[in-house]
Amino acid sequence: MFSLVLHSHLPWLANHGRWPVGEEWLYQSWAGSYLPLTSMLSRLADEGRTNLLSLGITPVLAAQLDDPHCLSGMHHWLGNWQLRAHEAQNRELSTREHRSASAALHEFETHWRHGGSGVIRTLVDSRAVELLGGPLAHPFQPLMDPRLRQFSLTEGLSDAQGRWGTRPCGIWAPECAYAPGMENEYATAGVTHFMVDGPALRGDTSLGRPVRDSGVVAFGRDLSVSYRVWSPKSGYPGHAAYRDFHTYDHDTGLKHARVTGRTVDSADKAPYDPAAAAAAIDKHVLDFVDAVRMRLREESARIGRPALVVAAFDTELFGHWWFEGPQWLEKVLRALPEAGIDIGTLEDARTRGYVGAPTQLEESSWGSGKDWRVWAGEQVHDLVTLNSEVVLAALDAIDKNRGPSGGGQPELRNRTNDQILRETLMAIASDWAFMVSKDSAAGYARERAHIHAHASREIADAVSRGQGERAAELAAQWNRADGLFPSLDARRLRTERSYCRDGETE
């Protein structure tokens, strides 16, 4: 069986800059990836096709796809795209981009104007996709305080329940990061399966593997197949005929050139040719189907039973980074069954027995070196220290600020504590360390981490000083700036005493 897994994620960008890093990143991904991919999946669902892929959507991205400010900004962005198409001097480019912008506007106004939840829920309810959840704000879980890690995961799964009417039993752990013992937390939260990178299973990804004695299954990404599409050095998107991501018309921002060659300067790139790109798509569809078929045969022969191949990618690769990606993906999802290859979700693989012997999974991620260096290395030592300090101050303040719950009296909701947690989770998002380690808008990433860390510490400090009214005022002000996850409730953060007691019992 073949399983395709897509991981959809962007950090919280609303009201935190526009360009070159900020909301523009969200709107480009929305227009380039989320609109065409959901439209494509809807077409396939209308044909009665089910269990096409496992679709991970992080809570922080889902929040933006439902946010009124982001929805309004996206509508303006699509209109501006149409205007930029009018301004293009090249007639062919102008016509092509105007047609694309008009189609995107129609899709957005018809299906998205009230948020993304309705669009995604339709795909889930029709069984076109399996929904994968995850923790709030995309943290690097192995480095988290266990109490906060547990809270973040359960809140993230509850957020999915509220948006889509289903609580995911599978997750894409942020950065595919894992530390021994997390499988028990997954089991407690009702998670039955999760993704890791291939090397975490020592390259043996032909079956899912229960982790130790938890019963929670780890599925590994098959690198030999996944890297045909996207790898650090090669892959289909680099083909000469495809539209070049990095080259654009400076007057309009529209992308008018093809890759042409990996060493060709932007000024020397050839004009984009849709017909040549279409021919390359067909070629790469056939190549991918052949690669999957060969890998399934090899692995089935090796293990002496039907094997599983899992290919996993960032959703934003398809359309945003690789313009032709959505077209390629639709053709692949049609071509695989036509070639006699069974496709299904990770949940299908688990329930249909594509599971082998338990594994003693060790520390891993899907980052450089497949270890934790991107998020815990020397280059981001300052952020690791900042995160530890912020979390410690936040949990200490919340523990001191919780109202009495004894004597039959319920603990009342405390919006101050809620905001401390909200800002803390935003501060420790894995995106900031990733962007610094990869030198991708590192200044913006550090600024974002420090903004949220300052907010958390400012509120926590007022609490610690016994300044309850001041803390509540600060919490309200920061919430007006970033009020995502309105259902986040600090009362569901386990007290230190109860967590330690249960830990000792276990």
Side-chain angles (χ1 to χ4, degrees):
M1 191 175 84
F2 172 78
S3 288
L4 176 67
V5 185
L6 298 181
H7 172 57
S8 316
H9 170 66
L10 289 175
W12 180 258
L13 300 166
N15 296 308
H16 286 280
R18 183 64 185 257
W19 189 90
V21 184
E23 291 183 23
E24 179 76 11
W25 187 6
L26 170 65
Y27 303 143
Q28 287 183 3
S29 298
W30 204 333
S33 296
Y34 310 144
L35 287 179
L37 284 174
T38 54
S39 178
M40 176 269 288
L41 289 169
S42 295
R43 280 195 299 276
L44 295 177
D46 288 343
E47 297 174 9
R49 299 173 186 259
T50 59
N51 302 323
L52 296 166
L53 53 86
S54 296
L55 179 63
I57 304 176
T58 63
V60 69
L61 174 60
Q64 292 175 98
L65 300 182
D66 282 337
D67 183 76
H69 169 81
C70 295
L71 289 165
S72 176
M74 181 60 184
H75 194 230
H76 281 88
W77 191 92
L78 291 171
N80 181 259
W81 178 15
Q82 197 172 53
L83 292 175
R84 288 186 288 123
H86 280 293
E87 296 170 358
Q89 297 299 308
N90 182 291
R91 184 170 182 177
E92 184 177 352
L93 174 66
S94 177
T95 300
R96 185 170 66 241
E97 290 289 323
H98 186 272
R99 186 180 298 117
S100 297
S102 298
L105 263 171
H106 176 75
E107 176 71 14
F108 183 81
E109 292 176 342
T110 304
H111 300 292
W112 285 80
R113 285 305 301 275
H114 299 292
S117 286
V119 178
I120 303 303
R121 182 161 186 169
T122 299
L123 295 175
V124 174
D125 289 348
S126 66
R127 296 179 54 241
V129 302
E130 174 203 7
L131 188 67
L132 301 181
L136 291 178
H138 207 257
F140 192 80
Q141 293 184 108
L143 299 181
M144 292 180 76
D145 177 277
R147 273 204 298 157
L148 189 59
R149 185 167 67 207
Q150 181 187 56
F151 174 83
S152 177
L153 177 59
T154 55
E155 290 291 297
L157 297 174
S158 295
D159 185 82
Q161 174 78 50
R163 293 184 195 279
W164 302 309
T166 182
R167 187 180 178 91
C169 61
I171 66 169
W172 180 294
E175 318 300 358
C176 289
Y178 170 81
M182 284 172 52
E183 70 279 1
N184 297 319
E185 298 170 12
Y186 290 164
T188 299
V191 172
T192 59
H193 54 283
F194 66 105
M195 279 293 302
V196 296
D197 208 1
L201 296 177
R202 300 173 182 84
D204 187 0
T205 58
S206 58
L207 297 169
R209 301 285 181 178
V211 181
R212 295 180 170 82
D213 59 356
S214 67
V216 179
V217 178
F219 288 101
R221 182 172 67 139
D222 187 305
L223 297 189
S224 68
V225 171
S226 297
Y227 277 3
R228 295 191 83 84
V229 181
W230 188 248
S231 75
K233 297 181 180 179
S234 63
Y236 300 150
H239 188 274
Y242 290 141
R243 198 177 79 174
D244 189 70
F245 175 82
H246 300 285
T247 303
Y248 58 90
D249 174 62
H250 287 273
D251 292 330
T252 62
L254 302 175
K255 296 174 182 177
H256 62 286
R258 52 178 144 169
V259 172
T260 310
R262 294 181 183 275
T263 61
V264 178
D265 291 337
S266 291
D268 300 323
K269 301 275 187 181
Y272 183 65
D273 180 354
I281 291 171
D282 289 340
K283 172 185 174 183
H284 289 142
V285 168
L286 292 175
D287 179 78
F288 188 78
V289 171
D290 286 343
V292 171
R293 180 192 291 111
M294 183 177 299
R295 184 65 169 165
L296 285 170
R297 287 174 176 170
E298 291 174 348
E299 288 298 278
S300 296
R302 182 180 66 83
I303 66 175
R305 57 177 288 190
L308 171 72
V309 166
V310 178
F313 311 96
D314 283 333
T315 302
E316 296 76 22
L317 167 64
F318 299 94
H320 174 51
W321 295 103
W322 178 21
F323 175 66
E324 296 81 7
Q327 302 171 58
W328 176 88
L329 191 56
E330 180 171 3
K331 290 193 172 188
V332 162
L333 290 174
R334 294 181 184 278
L336 286 167
E338 291 172 0
I341 297 171
D342 188 19
I343 63 174
T345 66
L346 296 181
E347 174 65 2
D348 289 332
R350 187 183 70 85
T351 57
R352 289 168 55 183
Y354 287 91
V355 179
T359 181
Q360 302 297 311
L361 201 60
E362 301 298 334
E363 296 178 357
S364 61
S365 80
W366 77 336
S368 300
K370 309 304 180 185
D371 52 24
W372 298 353
R373 71 185 67 176
V374 172
W375 299 274
E378 186 61 32
Q379 197 169 358
V380 291
H381 176 73
D382 60 318
L383 292 183
V384 174
T385 300
L386 176 72
N387 291 348
S388 297
E389 293 173 350
V390 168
V391 168
L392 182 64
L395 295 181
D396 183 63
I398 291 170
D399 286 341
K400 293 177 180 177
N401 199 39
R402 299 185 80 151
S405 58
Q409 296 298 315
E411 179 183 359
L412 300 180
R413 187 167 186 183
N414 187 316
R415 302 287 181 176
T416 299
N417 289 349
D418 293 351
Q419 193 63 26
I420 292 174
L421 279 179
R422 185 176 289 112
E423 296 292 350
T424 300
L425 290 169
M426 297 273 276
I428 66 173
S430 73
D431 307 272
W432 316 137
F434 177 86
M435 292 167 71
V436 171
S437 290
K438 297 299 183 180
D439 195 22
S440 173
Y444 176 88
R446 278 201 163 92
E447 180 183 357
R448 286 296 305 278
H450 281 276
I451 285 173
H452 299 296
H454 169 72
S456 175
R457 290 193 290 199
E458 185 177 42
I459 304 168
D461 182 65
V463 168
S464 298
R465 294 173 182 271
Q467 300 171 350
E469 291 186 6
R470 174 61 176 161
E473 179 184 350
L474 288 169
Q477 291 174 354
W478 284 109
N479 184 260
R480 282 193 289 272
D482 291 307
L484 72 167
F485 307 138
S487 297
L488 181 153
D489 190 338
R491 291 176 296 182
R492 292 194 285 268
L493 174 71
R494 298 185 66 177
T495 64
E496 185 175 18
R497 179 179 300 175
S498 69
Y499 189 87
C500 292
R501 182 178 63 246
D502 287 358
E504 291 170 357
T505 299
E506 293 170 358

